[in-house]
Structures are given as C-alpha cells and as structure tokens.
Amino acid sequence: MAAREKPEQDARPRHDVRALEELLASQRRRIGRYTARADRRTSRTPRPHPNGGGSGPADVTAEVAAIGTRDLLDALPLAALLIRVVRDGGGRIADYHYVTENEAAVRYADAVIPREARPPSALRPVPLFDRFPSMADTPVPRMLRDAFDSGRPQGPEPVEWYLPLPDGQAVRIHNEVTVTRCGEHLLLSWERGHHTLLARAAQQLARVCWAEWNLGDDTAQGSEGLRHVLGLPADAPVPTLPQLAAMTTAGGPDALHRALYDVFLRRRRAACDLVLADDGRVLSCVAEPVWLPGGPVWSVRAVMMDVTGDRRARERAAAAELDAQAQRAQVHALADISGALRDAVLPHFEGELSPYGLEAAAVYRPDSGSGVGGDWFKVRVLPGDRVLIALGDARGHGLQAVTLMAKLRYALAGLSFTGRKVEQLTAWLNNVACDDGRESTATAVIGRYHPERCLLRWTCAGHPRPVLLRDGRARVLWEAPGAGGPPLGVVPDQEYRATETVLLKGDVVLLYSDGLVERRAHDPDADTARLVEEVARAGGHGVGAGPAALERFAQTVVQALTGPRQTDDATLLAFRHLHGEPDRPR
C-alpha cells in the first residue's frame, strides 16, 4: 500500500476560485502519480489467458448461442416481456406480438394482478395490444418504435395502464418501463412504481440533490433535481466545481475551498453554505471523499439542499427577537426611570400627623404590564394647622403619565400654601393641566382637613368619591349637589364646588384610584359596591389601634380587590380621625 502523501504547499486555503482550481489540479497530480505507479506494476506482471489460449469471434458466438433464450430471460432480475416486431410487405412495422415473459414477470403478476384480471395464457405469439388493450394509450408504442428504429434503449419512463376486473372495477398498474432492441425482437422490462418520478418529485419538494465529481477523468454526474436546485436549464451540463464556486456570492469560493481541502487532503466529510449570486438562495452542501484502496481521494460526492426558506425564517426570527429585546430594554428603562421618579415624588408621609388628629397609610399596586402609571397622592401639613389630603390619577402609563403626575402633585403642593380654599386650588390645578396639552388629563380628589372643627372639605374632579368606614359600616361619602366637576385638563377655567364632611372619632376615610375597582365590561356602580363590601368586611370588627393596624387594614382591602395580573395602577390612601366628636357635628 502506498504511503499517504502530505498536503502540497500550493493547496493551502485561499480566498478565490483560482485557489480552488489549484487545489483540484494538485489532487489530479496525485491521482496521476498513483495510476502511473499502478500501470508500471501491471506491465511487469503479464496476465495469462485462461486455458492458455485465445478466444475468437466464432467461439464467442457459439458460446452465446449455446445459452437458450428462456435461460437469458429468466436470468434478468427485472420483469420482462419478449416482443416480436411484425413487418408488412414494405418492411415497415405493422404490429408487435407478445411472445413470452420471464420468471420475474410471473412473480410480478402474482403479486399485483388478481387472477380474474389476467389475460388467458398464450400458446403462440399474439398481438401485444390485443392482450393488453389499455397499454396502447401509453408511451409504450412510441418507445417500441423508437427502440427498434434507432437501436438505442428507451426509458426508463413512467407508464400507467389498467386491467379490467369482472365486477367493473380495474387494477391500476404503474411502472417505469425500459425498451431495448434484441435483433428482430424487443425486450420490454419494468420496475414496479415510479421510482424516477418519485425521486424527482422528492428532490423538488425537499429541494435537495446530489452530485459527484470524478477528478480521474474530469467527469461529473448529478441527480434529477440538481439543475432545479441550482436554477439551471434542464439540458445544462453538470457544472464543474470551479463553475459551481463561480455561481456563488463573495465568500462562496473560499467556503467551498475550505470544505474540499478537508475532503481531499484530510479525507473527512465537510460542510459549507453557498449563496447563489443570481437570486440569493442558500444551499447547504455536505461533501464526502471517495478513494481507491491505498490511493488518493479520487472523487468528491456531495448532497446539496436549498435551505433558503429556513435561513430566512431564522433571520426574521432573530431580527424579531432583537427587536423584542430592544423593546423590552426600552420598557425596562422607562419603567426604571418612571419608578425612580415615582419614588422621588411619592415619599413617605412627611412629619407626624397625630398632633393634628390624623394617622394615614397608603398602598400602591402597579400595573403588572407597564410597571408604573399616573396614580399620585399627597398628605401634607399646611400653615394654620391645616392638612392637605389629595389623591389623583394622571391619564396613561409610563414616563409620560408619571411626568404629568409629578407636575400636578408639585403644583398642588405649592398652590396649597396660598391658603385658598380647595375649590380654588382645584380650579388652578385644572388650568395647569389644560396648559400642558390636550392629552394631559387627570382625575383627582382634593381635600383640606380642619382639626379644630373635625371637618374635611373636599372637591371631586372626575374621580370616584371617597368611602367612609364608621362603626364597622362602610358607605360612599355623600357629595353636595353640583359639587362634582370634570377631570382636570378638559375645560379651562372650570369652577368646582366643595363638599364638607364632619368626621367622628375612629372614622376611616379611603381615597382610591379607579384602578382599584374598575374591571373591563363591569358596571362601575357594581365595582364601587364591591369596594364598599370589602371595606366593611375588613373593618367590620374594628381596624385596630395605631398606624401599623391601619396599614394592615389597607393592605387587606387592596389584596381583596386586585390580582396577579393587574391591568391598571391601584392606589389606596386611608386616613383615620383620632379626635373626639365636635360640639355640633354637621
């Protein structure tokens, strides 16, 4: 066995078609050296003829004649019929007579054709198309004529015909037929099924093909689907490896060169992707070496598959994933900014409220989808021992809503130091929202608590009214006639009226955003009634003393009304009145 040669220096990978041509030329030289050594060994060892003598044409003819026609027919592995060509007086073909069949044809008939559909046995040659009438309407007559006239084999070609059954049904027969001339006879052979058609259809459906390039004689052969996959005309020759490389875009020749380097010089299977320059289709190519025992790689065999749809689907999926990641990153960034801004503008309660006869607790539950929204609240001690108590909901979600929320909250905090009544504060805040633009709308409840009178004066700008818990019973606060007004930012210079509510010792007032109670396709009144029911249930036996107990009460109410898939911000602000009853409650 000859020792394996080391790769030549000129076969190093390079990046163009010339490098591929040099690699192929180098491999051909190895094949040439191997065949030259083999030829020298053969020439030194003459091969004697069997029996020590020659064999002339007469001997061959006699030997072939000694073998009977039946023996030759039965030796064929394919089912076959022997057909006699009948000529007329002018030497033209007049008919075709069925003479006999071989054993393979008998086995085929036993497996495929019911006995009741078989023609009676012929003791002498009979016209072929009398015996099988439906065969006359197939390509068989043409194939018989062309094979006899040209002397060249015809087919294999798909042929379908039928044999009638006594009950009116028919046996469908579908084969791949080949016709070959044998002197004055024709041999009609067939294989069961349409293997060629099925193979071609499978290659086209899967867009897969194979090819083999033989460097020993520079020949190439390919499957039925090769030209279809490569986008070549049906009669185009199989392209050479350099021609295949030239059909690809930049990078294709280099990729094919690297794969063939592994096939030829490392004798291992290799794969690469080739992008066709004409239409951008992507071919996945897997190549393997074929070599002679003790010799160099002689041929390269490759399977190619059009994976354009799969690759483009992957590219679209990857682009969609990148887009989704960017959107998620943007959402998270906005949520972080909004959350930080919310933390900045919604601090814990400033100072101690108990000297003014109040204690408060707030619970905030963000939207599970967008993260943050426009809910806001404000509890602040004002000059003159008054206490500002407010809760609002800016339109929308995200950074825009939080920005509006912050603007309104800080504006209210500043305006409240003017000492003006809550009616005027609400009207001023409405104009702030109107000046911010058409989309800057919000709802709010704005109140001021007067400790010396145990009085809460409040306005409602398009917002749900507060709920009062007193002696274990809950109800929505009564509102003075005409006191309600539109949301902030809708009607400039809108006037608002206030409602006065006198608080008793132990009263708990709850301000809340609509996200706590509203549900899609629900009646708002029913949603509010549900809130009142949950407040009564949570505080029916008393809330408990101290800010911590008030916090637990508020948490219980919010947990009962919200779920894990909250679709809007939910805020609850609860404050409890600690002073005794006024002399004359109103």
Side-chain angles (χ1 to χ4, degrees):
M1 179 179 294
R4 183 179 298 178
E5 297 180 84
K6 295 182 180 180
E8 296 184 3
Q9 293 299 316
D10 61 352
R12 291 192 304 269
R14 288 167 54 188
H15 303 277
D16 53 19
V17 176
R18 291 189 300 275
L20 178 61
E21 292 172 339
E22 292 171 4
L23 174 65
L24 298 177
S26 176
Q27 191 65 17
R28 291 190 186 97
R29 288 195 293 272
R30 294 186 185 88
I31 296 172
R33 289 194 292 269
Y34 169 78
T35 55
R37 289 195 298 269
D39 288 344
R40 287 194 294 272
R41 288 195 300 269
T42 303
S43 63
R44 290 195 296 267
T45 310
R47 184 174 301 172
H49 190 278
N51 301 323
S55 178
D59 296 329
V60 173
T61 303
E63 187 172 351
V64 172
I67 303 175
T69 301
R70 167 60 60 181
D71 295 333
L72 289 174
L73 282 176
D74 290 342
L76 292 176
L78 301 179
L81 302 180
L82 187 63
I83 309 297
R84 177 189 297 169
V85 177
V86 180
R87 299 173 181 265
D88 60 15
R92 294 182 295 271
I93 298 176
D95 203 354
Y96 303 97
H97 283 189
Y98 164 83
V99 177
T100 188
E101 73 281 339
N102 64 355
E103 285 295 329
V106 174
R107 291 193 298 270
Y108 171 85
D110 290 340
V112 175
I113 304 175
R115 289 195 174 274
E116 59 270 23
R118 299 183 196 177
S121 299
L123 299 178
R124 57 185 177 80
V126 296
L128 176 65
F129 300 123
D130 287 350
R131 186 171 178 81
F132 305 111
S134 63
M135 191 184 288
D137 298 325
T138 70
V140 169
R142 171 182 53 79
M143 296 175 70
L144 294 172
R145 181 186 65 252
D146 291 348
F148 191 83
D149 290 344
S150 67
R152 293 190 297 271
Q154 302 295 309
E157 189 168 336
V159 172
E160 292 196 23
W161 53 292
Y162 67 91
L163 287 171
L165 293 171
D167 59 1
Q169 295 183 334
V171 177
R172 174 175 172 264
I173 301 174
H174 50 104
N175 301 308
E176 286 192 339
V177 174
T178 301
V179 179
T180 307
R181 181 169 180 174
C182 303
E184 290 297 309
H185 289 73
L186 295 167
L187 191 67
L188 188 152
S189 59
W190 68 90
E191 286 187 279
R192 189 174 181 179
H194 294 331
H195 297 154
T196 302
L197 279 181
L198 291 175
R200 183 184 300 119
Q203 291 179 51
Q204 292 184 358
L205 288 173
R207 303 188 68 83
V208 65
C209 63
W210 63 263
E212 184 171 327
W213 290 271
N214 187 335
L215 300 188
D217 56 8
D218 281 335
T219 59
Q221 57 179 327
S223 66
E224 289 281 342
L226 176 67
R227 295 162 184 82
H228 177 74
V229 170
L230 294 179
L232 298 173
D235 57 350
V238 176
T240 64
L241 288 169
Q243 289 171 343
L244 177 62
M247 295 169 61
T248 65
T249 58
D254 184 51
L256 186 59
H257 181 277
R258 289 195 302 269
L260 293 179
Y261 187 92
D262 285 344
V263 169
F264 289 138
L265 302 180
R266 294 173 179 157
R267 299 195 178 198
R268 67 187 186 192
R269 183 177 297 177
C272 64
D273 285 346
L274 304 175
V275 181
L276 297 182
D278 286 345
D279 53 16
R281 286 185 296 115
V282 182
L283 304 184
S284 178
C285 178
V286 179
E288 64 178 5
V290 180
W291 67 83
L292 297 176
V297 173
W298 196 283
S299 300
V300 56
R301 184 182 299 133
V303 174
M304 289 177 284
M305 183 175 182
D306 187 340
V307 295
T308 307
D310 179 63
R311 296 298 167 85
R312 290 177 179 172
R314 292 184 186 179
E315 291 172 359
R316 289 193 296 268
E321 176 62 22
L322 290 175
D323 184 59
Q325 290 177 0
Q327 292 184 15
R328 286 195 295 268
Q330 182 179 15
V331 169
H332 292 159
L334 290 175
D336 291 342
I337 295 172
S338 301
L341 183 56
R342 169 171 291 283
D343 291 341
V345 300
L346 293 182
H348 296 293
F349 298 111
E350 301 173 4
E352 182 61 48
L353 298 177
S354 58
Y356 305 94
L358 296 177
E359 60 186 15
V363 178
Y364 171 69
R365 183 69 56 84
D367 178 349
S368 61
S370 60
V372 290
D375 287 6
W376 59 274
F377 62 87
K378 183 71 176 177
V379 178
R380 184 183 184 92
V381 177
L382 301 174
D385 293 337
R386 305 291 191 264
V387 180
L388 175 68
I389 301 171
L391 184 142
D393 183 2
R395 179 182 183 273
H397 290 85
L399 187 59
Q400 183 178 4
V402 175
T403 303
L404 176 59
M405 172 267 290
K407 183 181 298 184
L408 295 177
R409 185 176 181 277
Y410 282 126
L412 178 61
L415 293 171
S416 64
F417 276 84
T418 64
R420 302 297 292 269
K421 294 182 177 181
V422 292
E423 301 96 314
Q424 185 62 61
L425 297 181
T426 307
W428 282 342
L429 200 62
N430 172 62
N431 286 337
V432 170
C434 287
D435 291 341
D436 199 59
R438 289 187 304 170
E439 302 299 322
S440 296
T441 60
T443 64
V445 173
I446 301 173
R448 179 182 285 147
Y449 175 67
H450 301 256
E452 76 284 359
R453 299 164 55 189
C454 299
L455 179 66
L456 176 68
R457 299 189 77 254
W458 56 278
T459 60
C460 186
H463 200 86
R465 288 179 288 162
V467 170
L468 173 66
L469 176 66
R470 174 177 290 172
D471 298 330
R473 294 188 297 273
R475 62 178 174 86
V476 177
L477 280 181
W478 171 83
E479 188 176 37
L488 306 175
V490 176
V491 181
D493 300 322
Q494 173 70 31
E495 293 184 358
Y496 293 86
R497 290 184 58 189
T499 298
E500 295 185 351
T501 301
V502 176
L503 301 180
L504 306 181
K505 184 177 181 179
D507 283 355
V508 178
V509 179
L510 296 97
L511 281 63
Y512 58 94
S513 64
D514 57 8
L516 182 66
V517 295
E518 288 186 357
R519 300 293 180 268
R520 292 181 180 178
H522 277 209
D523 182 356
D525 292 338
D527 292 332
T528 303
R530 182 165 167 257
L531 168 64
V532 171
E533 180 182 348
E534 294 297 340
V535 171
R537 180 179 291 112
H541 299 289
V543 174
L550 184 63
E551 172 80 19
R552 287 193 298 271
F553 162 74
Q555 291 280 4
T556 301
V557 173
V558 172
Q559 185 174 0
L561 293 171
T562 59
R565 300 300 301 171
Q566 185 72 16
T567 58
D568 196 2
D569 282 20
T571 303
L572 177 65
L573 172 62
F575 65 92
R576 177 160 47 188
H577 182 245
L578 302 176
H579 282 180
E581 292 82 355
D583 294 336
R584 298 180 61 187
R586 299 174 55 187

